[in-house]
Amino acid sequence: MLDRLRLHVYPKEPLTCAKLTQYASLKLETKRRAKPTLHLLHVGRRKEKLRSAEAGAAADPKHKESSAMEVSGLDSDGKEFKNAEEMWREQIGEDGEQQEKKTQWYREGISYWEGVEASVDGVLGGFGNVNEVDIKGSEAFLQMLLSDRFPNARNNQHLVALDCGSGIGRITKNLLIRYFNEVDLLEPVSHFLDAARESLAPENHMAPDMHKATNFFCVPLQDFTPETGRYDVIWVQWCIGHLTDDDFVSFFKRAKVGLKPGGFFVLKENIARSGSEGIT
Ligand SMILES: C[S@@+](CC[C@H](N)C(=O)[O-])C[C@H]1O[C@@H](n2cnc3c(N)ncnc32)[C@H](O)[C@@H]1O
């Protein structure tokens, strides 16, 4: 599983809407190539809905040719979707009915997590063993980012991070709070955020003096606008797949105001190297 994890940093230059759009379309493009994988981020936790049709595609060269753009799939009830657009239409509807269906979409996502134990294994979907190597990889990346882009970090520069979709605060506790003077957490599921608050109480973590978890926001990303210019890094890991495509774009558009000049989004998500490889 881990060889499928990649870290992406964006932007290397100041954020512009054009770049955001480019980035968003990068996601959509990825989605075209590996839709079932991305879609699993949404529905896998509900009922392992989409299964890739690419196993069949691999055996059928004609199908394979088209599979780069058009990946069909079945849901767990056996319903077939020709492509992701068709699936999205069913999930969040056409324009007119969109709001209601979208609300339902988000409600179901949250209600899944409300039924999950507040533990590392819980937030990692049963893959708690991934925690250590995930943190190690992220730390190597973060060190590189800090020395490359924040050369004054060692000279008492006050660094602030936001951990988006933080769950129980696993990433903050194991990584971010050691490097950032302040970390804010955003998590829409209250029992996860309560667990984070407890484990990040000053007596329960080993971060350097003066490093602390400051704010705990119990809101979903699609409803969040950060305080202007507060963050050096906005870390988004293993939760962006909960957003619909339009909310994905609008989140980054809104959240960019939360970055200090020279600040970064870090987006870490699973990807498929090819076909349905990333699904398991
Ligand atoms: C796979 S867990 C990852 C948690 C954490 N990022 C980590 O790596 O330990 C996904 C998290 O996304 C949260 N989530 C679900 N819907 C969300 C939304 N609309 N906005 C922000 N977070 C969401 C879940 O409650 C859950 O805590």
Side-chain angles (χ1 to χ4, degrees), residues 15-230:
L15 201 58
T16 63
C17 281
K19 286 215 169 74
L20 274 168
T21 311
Q22 205 180 4
Y23 184 58
S25 55
L26 196 138
K27 182 200 177 212
L28 298 174
E29 186 56 34
T30 308
K31 205 165 179 179
R32 260 177 219 120
R33 277 189 253 116
K35 280 170 210 153
T37 306
L38 274 175
H39 187 59
L40 271 172
L41 288 172
H42 290 289
V43 297
R45 57 186 61 95
R46 280 200 247 145
K47 274 205 275 169
E48 286 283 313
K49 265 197 165 177
L50 269 196
R51 280 200 207 97
S52 170
E54 292 209 35
D60 172 359
K62 256 199 319 204
H63 190 162
K64 194 174 186 180
E65 209 170 86
S66 64
S67 69
M69 296 300 287
E70 285 280 311
V71 181
S72 60
L74 300 175
D75 70 13
S76 52
D77 303 323
K79 182 172 168 55
E80 188 165 353
F81 294 97
K82 281 205 290 289
N83 52 40
E85 286 70 31
E86 189 179 83
M87 179 277 297
W88 276 116
R89 260 199 309 280
E90 166 132 343
Q91 291 290 336
I92 61 166
E94 305 284 358
D95 282 350
E97 55 183 347
Q98 195 155 353
Q99 203 44 53
E100 200 181 311
K101 281 195 139 187
K102 212 196 227 192
T103 305
Q104 175 69 8
W105 163 269
Y106 282 122
R107 197 177 297 130
E108 286 179 22
I110 297 299
S111 100
Y112 168 82
W113 289 107
E114 283 173 344
V116 171
E117 183 187 88
S119 65
V120 170
D121 212 37
V123 293
L124 295 185
F127 289 96
N129 58 319
V130 160
N131 176 54
E132 203 180 318
V133 70
D134 165 55
I135 296 295
K136 243 191 213 167
S138 293
E139 183 159 15
F141 176 82
L142 185 60
Q143 284 175 344
M144 191 183 69
L145 179 71
L146 290 174
S147 69
D148 193 33
R149 307 295 299 215
F150 297 90
N152 295 324
R154 288 211 185 98
N155 303 335
N156 290 332
Q157 188 182 358
H158 187 88
L159 295 176
V160 184
L162 172 67
D163 182 357
C164 294
S166 66
I168 60 168
R170 181 186 70 86
I171 303 164
T172 294
K173 180 158 188 166
N174 292 307
L175 178 68
L176 301 177
I177 203 162
R178 293 194 278 118
Y179 288 87
F180 293 86
N181 303 77
E182 291 184 69
V183 185
D184 291 347
L185 291 86
L186 173 149
E187 167 57 50
V189 172
S190 60
H191 79 288
F192 284 170
L193 203 59
D194 290 344
R197 205 178 272 112
E198 190 180 334
S199 87
L200 289 162
E203 63 276 19
N204 292 333
H205 67 74
M206 309 276 285
D209 285 351
M210 313 300 288
H211 285 214
K212 59 176 181 178
T214 304
N215 295 304
F216 294 82
F217 303 118
C218 197
V219 283
L221 279 177
Q222 68 274 16
D223 295 340
F224 181 71
T225 304
E227 182 187 318
T228 304
R230 173 162 170 77

